Amino acid sequence: MWKLSIDLGSSVTKIYRADTSSGVVLAEPSCVAIAGEDREVKAIGKEAKNLIGKTAEYTSIIYPVYEGEIVDMRLAAAMLKEFFSRIGIKASALRRAQVLMSVPCGAPERLLSQYANLAEECGLKKVFFVEQPYLAAVGAGAVLSDSDPVFCLDIGGGVTNVAVVSADGIIAGVSMNIGGNNMDANILARVAKTNGLRIGALTAERLKNEIGSLAPTARGTMVAEGSSVESSRPAAASVQAAELADCIRVYIDKVLEYAGAVLRKLPAEVAATVNRNGVYLSGGVMKLPYLPQYIGAKLEMRYHVCEEPQFATVLGGGTVIRDKSLLDAFAKENE
Ligand SMILES: Nc1ncnc2c1ncn2[C@@H]1O[C@H](COP(=O)(O)OP(=O)(O)OP(=O)(O)O)[C@@H](O)[C@H]1O
Ligand SMILES: [Mg+2]
């Protein structure tokens, strides 16, 4: 029987296979390209993302699950079904599969029933839902117990979650619509202003991911291509890592402000444990060089970050679905 953990991220959908040792079997952009008045699906995942900014007016790129909300059920189902077919699971196996899905922190009943509908639409029968911070904490290497609360911070493409969790529940937390997408948009605006170059969203993301860094001595440069703000003709410019750092840091500082507010509200014993154990960091943005160090220094605490922080949530899901006692403790089941 297949056992899957699924993380429907704002930017990237990840699927982990827990009944074999295959690990992460899919990581694809969570988007669909549609065309025409009847919104016909043209491409899904990588192929769809590649089209961003390059298509004619009648094609649009939709992220059907965004900031944890299912914004377009038909497209979300089309996307997830396609991803299932890409990992080679057949309809009959899907019906028998056990699946764990990450859901937003504090997801209300309305949202859970949307996720349940999506699962049903895709032919899944047995689905467990677990709130994201538990999974990120487990995936980032924390051990959850009643007595030892864990402080975790996940920065994804669309959402940042800050939470203090224990096996007993979420003690404190805040979820905000801040993430890598804001940084990309800020980079795009900055390059237009300082380099006189209009770039696309994909180029902005590439700049961040390839030379973005919070290291005090970051010196990388990258040639970006686009069109000249002045003449509108195709053009290129050399962008410095130090400029990108400013575009990134403003959002990190905002996140740290909220994290500080969460910490200030903790009961004294919980605060003491958090202070002793430090912060567990996850999410794709954590791959930025020196970001974990920056956060640790600002919060004045130890930090833990796993090797592939973008997979922490889906890996945590894999750990939970393999372990009956964790599943009983954290999961809500579809009926
Ligand atoms: N090497 C890298 N350096 C910096 N940022 C990166 C890197 N790789 C990926 N990212 C960014 O991480 C973000 C995606 O992270 P992640 O996969 O954790 O998000 P998600 O789970 O899809 O979204 P969310 O959790 O917000 O719903 C994107 O903004 C992406 O550009
Ligand atoms: Mg995520």
Side-chain angles (χ1 to χ4, degrees):
M1 182 187 53
W2 286 61
K3 280 190 187 184
L4 299 175
S5 155
I6 302 179
D7 174 14
L8 285 169
S10 303
S11 301
V12 183
T13 296
K14 298 96 170 163
I15 304 182
Y16 175 94
R17 186 163 177 192
D19 59 301
T20 63
S21 54
S22 345
V24 178
V25 289
L26 179 127
E28 292 232 21
S30 313
C31 60
V32 181
I34 56 167
E37 267 178 18
D38 52 0
R39 297 163 59 88
E40 193 196 335
V41 173
K42 288 285 176 203
I44 291 176
K46 282 191 198 80
E47 293 80 9
K49 183 171 179 184
N50 256 327
L51 295 174
I52 291 178
K54 299 175 196 156
T55 59
E57 252 168 47
Y58 58 85
T59 301
S60 21
I61 314 294
I62 310 283
Y63 282 78
V65 182
Y66 202 75
E67 295 173 353
E69 293 279 332
I70 298 174
V71 289
D72 188 317
M73 184 59 86
R74 178 182 73 98
L75 296 180
M79 181 179 82
L80 197 50
K81 280 184 198 164
E82 170 63 20
F83 290 161
F84 286 143
S85 105
R86 287 186 192 176
I87 64 171
I89 179 167
K90 300 215 171 63
S92 56
L94 272 178
R95 276 195 299 277
R96 277 177 280 121
Q98 263 190 26
V99 174
L100 181 150
M101 284 173 119
S102 166
V103 293
C105 181
E109 278 304 320
R110 168 194 63 79
L111 190 58
L112 286 180
S113 75
Q114 277 186 20
Y115 274 83
N117 289 345
L118 173 64
E120 198 183 318
E121 192 69 23
C122 295
L124 300 171
K125 298 283 179 228
K126 181 114 183 129
V127 188
F128 302 97
F129 301 107
V130 182
E131 291 180 58
Q132 194 270 346
Y134 292 114
L135 301 179
V138 171
V143 177
L144 291 181
S145 71
D146 286 336
S147 55
D148 256 358
V150 173
F151 178 39
C152 51
L153 198 169
D154 180 286
I155 309 182
V159 188
T160 292
N161 278 317
V162 180
V164 178
V165 301
S166 76
D168 213 23
I170 292 173
I171 299 171
V174 55
S175 174
M176 56 205 118
N177 297 344
I178 294 181
N181 295 339
N182 300 101
M183 299 166 192
D184 299 346
N186 205 11
I187 289 171
L188 187 145
R190 173 75 171 244
V191 170
K193 199 166 158 221
T194 58
N195 304 78
L197 185 73
R198 218 179 281 127
I199 57 172
L202 292 181
T203 301
E205 183 181 24
R206 218 176 303 126
L207 283 169
K208 173 188 83 221
N209 297 2
E210 288 180 18
I211 60 165
S213 164
L214 287 192
T217 53
R219 287 202 220 296
T221 59
M222 189 175 138
V223 174
E225 293 173 326
S227 60
S228 157
V229 171
E230 206 175 77
S231 69
S232 296
R233 290 173 45 134
S238 175
V239 179
Q240 313 290 324
E243 290 172 42
L244 302 183
D246 293 338
C247 301
I248 294 164
R249 202 183 299 107
V250 284
Y251 293 103
I252 302 300
D253 289 343
K254 190 105 238 144
V255 164
L256 289 171
E257 236 174 76
Y258 284 99
V262 168
L263 289 175
R264 280 192 294 277
K265 281 200 215 114
L266 295 178
E269 288 296 350
V270 176
T273 312
V274 163
N275 201 42
R276 200 162 52 238
N277 293 346
V279 58
Y280 286 81
L281 302 172
S282 59
V285 171
M286 253 358 123
K287 284 164 67 168
L288 283 167
Y290 210 74
L291 177 57
Q293 289 86 332
Y294 182 83
I295 293 176
K298 287 274 170 169
L299 292 174
E300 297 179 335
M301 55 173 75
R302 292 201 292 148
Y303 62 86
H304 312 264
V305 61
C306 55
E307 207 169 309
E308 298 202 275
Q310 77 277 27
F311 294 144
T313 302
V314 83
L315 291 177
T319 304
V320 171
I321 199 170
R322 278 204 189 99
D323 183 324
K324 175 115 182 30
S325 62
L326 287 176
L327 207 51
D328 288 344
F330 301 122
K332 293 193 179 109
E333 203 174 332
N334 67 328
E335 300 303 340

